[in-house]
Amino acid sequence: MSDHFELSSPPFDSVSQVRFSPTNPDHLLVSAWDTTVRFYDVTANEQKAKFDHRAAVLACSFSDAAHAYSGGLDPGVRELDLSSEKVTYLGQHGNAVSAINYAREQNVLITGSWDRSLRFWDPRAQTTLVSTHALPERVYNMDLVGNTLVVAMASRLFHIYDVRKMNEPAQMRESSLKFMTRSLACMADGQGYAIGSVEGRIGVEYFDPSSEAQDKKYAFKCHRQTIDDVDHVWPVNALAFHPVYNTFASAGSDGTLSIWDHKVKKRLRQYPKYSAPIPSVAFNCDGTRLAVGISYTWDDGEEGAKSAERPAVWIRKTGEEVKPRQAS
């Protein structure tokens, strides 16, 4: 099998999220603006199931090998049975569902919405909605490591929660970046998280509020290029940490994908540029593959859509480039 190949049967409209199974390194979910969630076996390069929705799907997540969840512009939250293709409606938000995570230790589904709330769901219970938690702003991104949930909101706000104690956030922060938050990912070692902004910048943050830990946080410019003496700056659309080595991938509207070692503050690899923006990336559970969603991200409005390439999902085999330098 090739080290870099395109999945057959991609979505017809822009990719919103790519997500690998927590246990099976070959199983991938792709949600898209064509109102579908597609389930693939990447080794077989086969679409195994397709779930149609009433509107664009913005977020998806696995819970275990056999079940997934979805949410989008139609504010419903749905459970997807990946083998029977049965869809179960769990409930809804007051506005679009923009982010979904599954807390495996608690067996609880967490959804974030533009309605300025988080909702916790127990899909197995008679009454699926467990709790609702009001927020000061719309949810843009969410990620979870262990019991720590990070919520990125409009107005550059961040809340950090312990999912076992949701009565109040453990920490409330403002973004270290000056512009709107476009991406978020928690470190695999649970020490902190990375954020990306619309203005070609990444910030590396740590959970520990002590001054020693906070002194380690930093930000850097990326996904930029000088063309004919003009600085071009692109949004950092997606971030993903390697599950084994804790290095991270960043992807932008410039079509570039890079691997970074945040400990030594160095780029380990920039892959050959893709032909369109990258809205989402994900490592699989053993870190041997990287899924790369490619599609127009509306950075140039309707005009740009006229010449946009068709959406695609690429699978890239990872190698030495994802390992930290000091460990080699």
Side-chain angles (χ1 to χ4, degrees), residues 36 50 129 152 158 160 175 304:
T36 66
K50 177 166 79 91
L129 182 61
F158 283 79
I160 301 168
S175 174

Side-chain angles (χ1 to χ4, degrees), residues 204 206 208-219 265:
V204 176
Y206 292 89
D208 181 347
S210 72
S211 55
E212 300 87 63
Q214 291 306 306
D215 284 347
K216 289 194 294 183
K217 77 176 187 181
Y218 69 99
K265 304 184 181 180

Side-chain angles (χ1 to χ4, degrees), residues 10 53 62 67 82-83 88 94 96 111 113-115 125 140 167 179-181 187-188 201 225 252 283 292 299 319:
H53 294 64
F62 282 91
H67 298 90
L82 300 173
S83 50
T88 305
T111 56
S113 169
W114 295 348
D115 70 1
Y140 284 166
N167 52 328
F179 291 86
M180 178 176 140
T181 308
M187 294 176 189
R201 228 176 261 262
Q225 195 182 352
F283 285 105
V292 186
D299 300 301

Side-chain angles (χ1 to χ4, degrees), residues 70-177:
S70 64
L73 294 185
D74 148 24
V77 177
R78 291 171 175 80
E79 180 178 63
L80 316 175
D81 187 308
L82 300 173
S83 50
S84 71
E85 297 194 37
K86 179 172 172 258
V87 177
T88 305
Y89 181 83
L90 299 181
Q92 68 178 54
H93 274 271
N95 203 328
V97 179
S98 51
I100 296 183
N101 288 97
Y102 194 85
R104 279 173 202 92
E105 290 174 33
Q106 271 70 39
N107 276 322
V108 67
L109 176 71
I110 306 168
T111 56
S113 169
W114 295 348
D115 70 1
R116 305 183 181 206
S117 79
L118 295 177
R119 297 202 163 175
F120 280 47
W121 312 82
D122 181 351
R124 302 157 305 169
Q126 198 73 44
T127 306
T128 52
L129 182 61
V130 176
S131 58
T132 300
H133 308 278
L135 295 168
E137 262 294 2
R138 288 153 293 161
V139 175
Y140 284 166
N141 309 92
M142 244 177 12
D143 201 15
L144 180 70
V145 58
N147 290 309
T148 304
L149 176 71
V150 183
V151 184
M153 292 170 274
S155 304
R156 300 170 43 254
L157 299 178
F158 283 79
H159 278 186
I160 301 168
Y161 292 93
D162 180 334
V163 292
R164 298 162 300 186
K165 302 196 288 269
M166 286 299 297
N167 52 328
E168 61 177 0
Q171 296 181 49
M172 291 186 274
R173 296 184 181 182
E174 192 174 272
S175 174
S176 55
L177 308 179

